[in-house]
Amino acid sequence: RLTMADIYQNVRIPTSNDSVYKDECLYSFDSPLSENGLFICMSTFHGVGKDHVARHCHLNPGKNIFLHISRRRIPVPVDPNVEPTRVTKMAIGVEGGFDANGPKRYTFEERYAIYIHPSVIIPYPDQASTLPEHVKQSADAIIAAESAFLKEERALMNTTWNGEIRQESKHAQTLEQLNNGRKIPPNGWKCEQCDLKDNLWLNLTDGAILCGRKFFDGTGGNNHAVDHYYKTRYPLAVKLGTITNKGADVYSYDEDDMDDMVEDPNLAIHLSHWGINMMKMEKTDRSMADLEIEINQKYGEASMIEEANSKLQPLYGAGKLFIETTCI
Ligand SMILES: [Zn+2]
Ligand SMILES: [Zn+2]
C-alpha cells in the first residue's frame, strides 16, 4: 500500500530557475481558460490539457500529481464616460484574436485543485490541510510563478521594442556631454522637479535626473524628463534602475522624426562621464519590457487594446499580437 509520502515523493517546489508552463498545453491549445482547464505537472511543471494527462503520465512514470488551474473570464462593464486612451499595449496570447469593436475589460477568477491521476481531486486551498507541506508549497509556487511564456517574452522584449530590434541611436557616436561636475550616485535617486523616486531617467548630456511620462492608467511620472528634452534638445536618456553590466533602457527623443528605445553602444562611456560604473550596477527598477508585460497582465488579454485604429503587427505565432506603445 502506498503511503501519502510515496504518492507525493516526486512533487517539487519550482525555483526561479524552473520554467513553469502554465499558459498552454504542450500538445494542444488547451489553456486554463479551456473548458477542462489546464493540468500543471508538479514534478516537471509542464502544462497539459485533459486529453493529454494520461500521455504525460505514461511518458513520465511516477509524475502523476498535477495542479489543476481553471480560469473564468468575467467581463467588466465599459464605462461610456471614460475616454479611450491613445496608449495601447502588447497583448500576449490573445485568445480568438483582437476585438476591434471596442474595448472589453475582464477580470479573471481562478480555481485550483490538486489532481492525482487517474482519480483523485483535492480542491485547493479548501482541502489543503490534507496535503503534505511541500505539496502546498509547490502549488503556491506554481500559482505565483511567472509563466515560461512570459519569461521568454520578457527576454525577447529586452532586446526589441515594439517588436523591432532596437536600433543604434544616431546620437550614440556624437553625443555631447557637459562637464558640469555632476556625479550620479549608484542609488537613492529622486526627480529634480518632483518627489518621484522611481521611473526616473538620467539625461546623458547634462546629467539631469527627471521622471518619465504619465501612463494612460494614471501611473508613471510627471513628464519632467520629456519636458526637459523640449527645453534643451538633449536627446538621450537612460532609465535609472535598469542599468546592469549587460546594458540599460536607453530612450532617444530624437530619432528621425520619432522617439524610440535605442541601442547606445557607447553607453558604458556615457555613464562613466557621470560617475556610473555600469559593470557594478544592479537592476532596481522595472524595465520598459517589464512594464509592458505588467500592464498586459493587469488589464488582461485583449482588454488593454483601447484603440481600434492601433497598428497591429503579428509578432510570432497565431494570436500573439503586438501593438505600438508610447512610453516615456
Ligand atoms: Zn511533463
Ligand atoms: Zn518629476
Side-chain angles (χ1 to χ4, degrees), residues 49-312:
K50 181 169 176 274
D51 295 342
H52 298 277
V53 169
R55 160 148 68 156
H56 173 88
C57 294
H58 181 73
L59 293 173
N60 300 273
K63 297 177 177 172
N64 64 327
I65 315 287
F66 299 86
L67 176 71
H68 182 240
I69 304 181
S70 172
R71 190 178 298 154
R72 292 287 161 261
R73 207 190 331 235
I74 302 160
V76 174
V78 176
D79 183 346
N81 298 315
V82 172
E83 278 278 298
T85 51
R86 191 180 101 64
V87 179
T88 54
K89 292 288 163 185
M90 174 186 73
I92 295 171
V94 173
E95 208 187 49
F98 166 63
D99 176 12
N101 293 321
K104 278 192 182 155
R105 291 176 183 276
Y106 299 98
T107 57
F108 294 92
E109 181 189 85
E110 285 194 346
R111 287 171 192 271
Y112 311 104
I114 308 299
Y115 174 65
I116 306 171
H117 188 72
S119 55
V120 180
I121 297 169
I122 302 165
Y124 188 84
D126 308 24
Q127 292 178 32
S129 57
T130 64
L131 295 164
E133 199 54 37
H134 82 289
V135 176
K136 287 188 267 185
Q137 285 174 19
S138 172
D140 292 342
I142 292 171
I143 291 165
E146 176 169 63
S147 76
F149 177 75
L150 281 179
K151 254 189 192 174
E152 287 164 22
E153 192 75 9
R154 191 188 303 278
L156 177 79
M157 290 279 300
N158 279 330
T159 55
T160 65
W161 185 249
N162 288 343
E164 289 158 22
I165 301 292
R166 293 181 187 183
Q167 300 294 321
E168 178 176 332
S169 168
K170 68 180 185 185
H171 298 287
Q173 304 298 340
T174 55
L175 187 76
E176 183 193 5
Q177 291 195 285
L178 307 181
N179 287 307
N180 57 12
R182 214 185 265 234
K183 292 294 167 213
I184 308 300
N187 50 47
W189 313 292
K190 181 183 134 341
C191 176
E192 290 168 14
Q193 294 175 18
C194 70
D195 289 330
L196 288 181
K197 293 196 170 77
D198 58 10
N199 188 22
L200 296 176
W201 296 78
L202 170 69
N203 191 294
L204 288 174
T205 294
D206 66 355
I209 295 176
L210 296 160
C211 62
R213 282 195 182 131
K214 199 176 277 304
F215 300 130
F216 71 99
D217 64 353
T219 65
N222 293 319
N223 297 330
H224 289 138
V226 64
D227 291 347
H228 185 67
Y229 165 73
Y230 285 117
K231 273 178 233 150
T232 62
R233 300 285 156 178
Y234 299 149
L236 298 185
V238 61
K239 186 169 186 188
L240 291 169
T242 70
I243 303 167
T244 68
N245 60 9
K246 294 189 180 66
D249 276 359
V250 180
Y251 197 81
S252 172
Y253 296 98
D254 174 39
E255 290 299 316
D256 298 326
D257 303 330
M258 16 190 321
D259 47 358
D260 213 347
M261 302 293 296
V262 291
E263 278 299 322
D264 175 5
N266 296 320
L267 183 61
I269 298 164
H270 290 150
L271 288 172
S272 72
H273 182 90
W274 303 112
I276 295 174
N277 181 346
M278 194 171 138
M279 294 303 142
K280 289 188 177 160
M281 296 296 284
E282 284 178 9
K283 191 164 178 266
T284 57
D285 201 354
R286 295 166 300 179
S287 68
M288 297 316 292
D290 295 334
L291 284 171
E292 279 222 330
I293 289 166
E294 245 170 59
I295 288 169
N296 187 43
Q297 287 173 319
K298 191 165 156 192
Y299 292 97
E301 302 215 323
S303 60
M304 76 295 290
I305 302 165
E306 301 191 347
E307 186 185 71
N309 298 326
S310 302
K311 200 165 75 182
L312 292 180

Side-chain angles (χ1 to χ4, degrees), residues 90-91 98 161-164 310-317 319-325:
M90 174 186 73
F98 166 63
W161 185 249
N162 288 343
E164 289 158 22
S310 302
K311 200 165 75 182
L312 292 180
Q313 304 161 346
L315 182 56
Y316 52 79
K320 281 150 191 162
L321 299 176
F322 200 89
I323 297 147
E324 187 148 336
T325 309

Side-chain angles (χ1 to χ4, degrees), residues 26-27 40-41 43-48 56-57 59-60 63 66:
L26 284 188
Y27 310 110
I40 320 299
C41 171
S43 305
T44 66
F45 314 119
H46 293 164
V48 287
H56 173 88
C57 294
L59 293 173
N60 300 273
K63 297 177 177 172
F66 299 86

